[in-house]
Amino acid sequence: MMFEFLNYSFMERAIVAGTLVAIITGIVGPFLVFRKMSFMGAGLSHGALAGIALGIILGLSPTLMSVLIVMGLGFLIGLVSRTGKISEDSAIGTVYTFFMALGIFLINLSKGYHINIMGYLFGDILAISKYDILFALIVLIVVLVWLILRGRAMLYLTFDEDFAKITGVPIGWDYYIFMVITSLSIITVVKLVGVVLAGSILIVPSASAKMLSKSFMKIIAISVISGIISIFSGIAFSYYLNTSSGPSIVFFVTAFFLCVLLWQFGSNTTSRKVKIKSPSSRP
Amino acid sequence: MDRYALILDSVSVRYGEKEAIANVSMKLEKGKLHVLMGPNGGGKTTLIRAIAGLVPFKGKIKIYGIESHEYLKRHSIGYLAQRGETVYDFPMTAIEVVEMGRYGTKESRKLRREKAMKFLEEVNMETYAHVPIGELSGGQQQRVLLARALATESKLMLLDEPLTGMDSRAQSRFYRMLNSLRARHALTILIASHDMGFTTAYAENIMCINKTMVSRECIAKLLAEPEIKELYGPNIHLVKHYHLPQEEDNDV
């Protein structure tokens, strides 16, 4: 049976969590892509490792600690870049490597604890619990409420920050709220594919969708659907070939991106040829 | 009633150690097309951005008699940024871009869309309403952004180098459109430009800036050569034209 892997409860949980993650990242990702903040996803997700390690050492919830660390990190990056001292990508590059190093350092110190470092780095679907699904569901509700209440303002802010400010969009507040939304989204992705690969799930489906549509709502829809298909395919692939789930999901997400890229390249070449052959373009 | 739409008193802007403009004072009469001229790096954009509340400044700026930061809390102003400052590869149609000007009005979506269409009609772009902004030509994009500025329903318009990337026909058409909009809506328009062609022909008031104000309230035809040399350097000669081109409106 093709979908026999769904008989296992851990696979069911992985599929449900994956679907929630695909919807969350499909909504948040396009804003990151169009704001040219793709690097932010990778940067913040690496920061989660420090939170996870700190949570384990202190005997607190690793999820809660990583939420706090990643949100703090996002706020710090936003503050540093918005005060204009250094650029956003420099701020991310500086801060996230430190938090990644801090995470590994803390894990090294915690010799008495059993920490599955590979699971945190590259994801472990066996480790997805009902609480992780509940957390992802809460984050999805938060993201949907944000999209309804602040989506239009965020779109305007993304398109033209100066004009948005002039028309009364509270750009500072909206920016920091978006950082919180991004941080929460990243924690849900980290659970599924790990710290190292989270940036891919957050950004690549949106980058693919950007090539396929010129309507922002359609880009969100394509991003969500392609994310769900890629995550489902990746989980099934990892089950049948006994491979790690995180890299398998990223493989499908990237394969979809490459297909779109090739299709775009092909259609652009065809349209160029048609243009050259058309009578109106002849001298 | 106050005859000035905008009053600047000793306005200075610094970017760190660098002084962008120093002690600029000017008064803009209501309902006129004013042009702020000067070389690149002379402080035109900085001054426009200070008036729009986009950069902090020292000194006083009053918009319709109210301190600018107080005025901007309650009202929008029409603003058209320099080309290149706006993302053109963006999934928004022309009408969606114009709707930005209606932000914060509490209108229904239907009414917002109707008003946005009305402003697109004002700039003869209604047939392009549902075309993505990135697929329009440079001149068409400028007209859409002008419609967005009009959609704020502000009587004050700040346009920063609006002619960039337009050929001379499109520039002439753009200015004629601005003049007609100014007359129809009683707009006060301030344009920052380094263009010495159509700008001088259509402006009612030209001010020259190069870090500080060189001259103010000078009429185009009286613009003296020494002032031009002070702005642009000694190797420049003034050529005056007395005939404005008369062309039919076509797509830019």
Side-chain angles (χ1 to χ4, degrees):
Chain A
M1 193 181 145
M2 194 180 167
F3 297 116
E4 67 176 31
F5 67 99
L6 292 177
N7 294 334
Y8 297 97
S9 59
F10 73 90
M11 278 293 178
E12 253 179 36
R13 285 199 299 274
I15 293 292
V16 172
T19 305
L20 294 171
V21 164
I23 300 170
I24 293 166
T25 55
I27 294 168
V28 177
F31 287 101
L32 286 167
V33 168
F34 281 103
R35 280 191 66 80
K36 301 195 190 319
M37 288 167 66
S38 302
F39 190 35
M40 181 73 82
L44 291 182
S45 62
H46 284 68
L49 193 67
I52 291 163
L54 207 59
I56 291 167
I57 288 173
L58 298 176
L60 299 167
S61 158
T63 304
L64 180 69
M65 285 311 289
S66 46
V67 166
L68 292 176
I69 292 278
V70 171
M71 272 175 31
L73 189 57
F75 188 79
L76 189 66
I77 291 168
L79 197 67
V80 169
S81 59
R82 286 192 79 80
T83 49
K85 298 293 178 198
I86 59 170
S87 66
E88 204 162 61
D89 62 338
S90 303
I92 298 165
T94 309
V95 176
Y96 100 79
T97 44
F98 168 74
F99 275 83
M100 180 82 180
L102 181 67
I104 300 290
F105 178 74
L106 290 172
I107 287 168
N108 288 341
L109 286 182
S110 60
K111 283 182 182 139
Y113 301 91
H114 170 69
I115 297 178
N116 174 14
I117 189 162
M118 288 301 279
Y120 287 120
L121 289 179
F122 300 106
D124 181 5
I125 54 170
L126 290 172
I128 292 173
S129 66
K130 283 178 188 169
Y131 296 107
D132 293 328
I133 291 174
L134 183 66
F135 178 74
L137 189 64
I138 291 167
V139 171
L140 176 60
I141 291 166
V142 171
V143 168
L144 287 172
V145 169
W146 167 77
L147 184 69
I148 292 163
L149 296 180
R150 302 306 306 162
R152 194 158 71 92
M154 194 62 208
L155 185 67
Y156 292 170
L157 175 56
T158 305
F159 178 64
D160 187 344
E161 188 165 319
D162 282 347
F163 195 84
K165 187 180 177 188
I166 284 171
T167 53
V169 175
I171 58 169
W173 277 106
D174 272 310
Y175 180 81
Y176 289 116
I177 290 169
F178 181 63
M179 293 306 294
V180 170
I181 293 290
T182 305
S183 305
L184 289 172
S185 308
I186 282 166
I187 300 302
T188 64
V189 187
V190 164
K191 284 280 172 185
L192 190 72
V193 296
V195 166
V196 176
L197 305 175
S200 165
I201 307 295
L202 196 62
I203 297 304
V204 181
S206 306
S208 308
K210 187 190 170 197
M211 290 189 276
L212 291 172
S213 179
K214 286 183 177 164
S215 149
F216 201 82
M217 289 316 287
K218 281 182 190 164
I219 287 173
I220 286 180
I222 295 168
S223 187
V224 167
I225 293 165
S226 74
I228 290 173
I229 294 169
S230 301
I231 288 171
F232 187 88
S233 308
I235 290 171
F237 189 83
S238 73
Y239 173 79
Y240 288 111
L241 293 179
N242 198 23
T243 54
S244 304
S245 56
S248 304
I249 292 168
V250 171
F251 173 79
F252 277 93
V253 165
T254 313
F256 182 77
F257 175 82
L258 288 174
C259 288
V260 174
L261 197 66
L262 284 173
W263 180 74
Q264 283 276 306
F265 182 72
S267 56
N268 284 349
T269 312
T270 312
S271 65
R272 247 201 321 272
K273 277 180 185 166
V274 170
K275 224 176 182 179
I276 290 164
K277 280 179 184 173
S278 71
S280 59
S281 66
R282 284 178 196 154
Chain B
M1 221 173 121
D2 200 347
R3 70 190 261 226
Y4 298 108
L6 189 65
I7 299 173
L8 276 72
D9 184 11
S10 303
V11 173
S12 303
V13 177
R14 293 186 78 89
Y15 294 121
E17 293 299 303
K18 195 182 151 206
E19 191 165 63
I21 50 172
N23 293 317
V24 172
S25 299
M26 64 183 193
K27 290 178 177 179
L28 299 193
E29 267 187 57
K30 285 177 183 169
K32 286 192 172 175
L33 200 157
H34 307 265
V35 172
L36 191 61
M37 289 187 77
N40 290 331
K44 303 184 296 296
T45 296
T46 300
L47 191 61
I48 290 265
R49 289 176 65 78
I51 296 166
L54 296 171
V55 290
F57 60 88
K58 278 187 180 167
K60 273 189 180 175
I61 297 179
K62 282 190 174 181
I63 303 172
Y64 294 107
I66 303 168
E67 294 284 345
S68 67
H69 57 272
E70 283 299 322
Y71 183 90
L72 293 168
K73 274 184 200 166
R74 282 174 273 151
H75 307 91
S76 294
I77 51 170
Y79 175 71
L80 200 161
Q82 268 189 54
R83 263 172 70 84
E85 286 184 8
T86 310
V87 185
Y88 286 104
D89 176 24
F90 201 85
M92 275 171 88
T93 59
I95 197 160
E96 287 169 342
V97 170
V98 178
E99 280 179 348
M100 278 182 79
R102 307 300 303 159
Y103 181 82
T105 54
K106 313 270 185 228
E107 294 164 347
S108 68
R109 198 178 164 183
K110 188 169 171 271
L111 184 62
R112 194 169 69 226
R113 190 137 284 218
E114 280 171 9
K115 286 200 171 177
M117 186 58 94
K118 192 193 96 187
F119 289 110
L120 276 175
E121 283 166 10
E122 295 254 20
V123 297
N124 302 323
M125 283 297 291
E126 66 277 15
T127 49
Y128 298 91
H130 302 289
V131 176
I133 185 84
E135 290 181 7
L136 299 174
S137 72
Q140 289 170 335
Q141 286 178 353
Q142 288 296 81
R143 283 198 272 163
V144 170
L145 296 180
L146 181 63
R148 182 181 72 168
L150 288 171
T152 60
E153 291 186 322
S154 168
K155 294 288 178 202
L156 178 64
M157 294 276 145
L158 305 174
L159 315 181
D160 190 3
E161 302 283 4
L163 306 178
T164 310
M166 288 189 204
D167 62 26
S168 56
R169 277 182 66 191
Q171 288 185 7
S172 161
R173 214 172 293 127
F174 193 83
Y175 263 114
R176 275 185 285 132
M177 179 186 286
L178 272 185
N179 254 335
S180 129
L181 288 168
R182 180 188 56 78
R184 219 179 312 153
H185 298 284
L187 300 175
T188 304
I189 303 174
L190 175 61
I191 298 177
S193 176
H194 64 266
D195 169 70
M196 302 284 290
F198 292 107
T199 303
T200 49
Y202 284 99
E204 291 166 283
N205 173 33
I206 296 180
M207 294 155 291
C208 312
I209 186 172
N210 192 359
K211 307 280 184 195
T212 57
M213 203 62 87
V214 178
S215 70
R216 69 179 75 108
E217 290 160 1
C218 46
I219 307 297
K221 60 186 176 187
L222 297 178
L223 198 66
E225 202 159 351
E227 286 173 321
I228 298 291
K229 286 187 191 298
E230 195 177 338
L231 279 169
Y232 291 94
N235 298 322
I236 194 155
H237 299 282
L238 193 64
V239 178
K240 293 169 182 169
H241 30 153
Y242 297 95
H243 303 288
L244 300 180
Q246 298 293 320
E247 292 165 10
E248 290 303 309
D249 275 340
N250 291 311
D251 282 343
V252 178

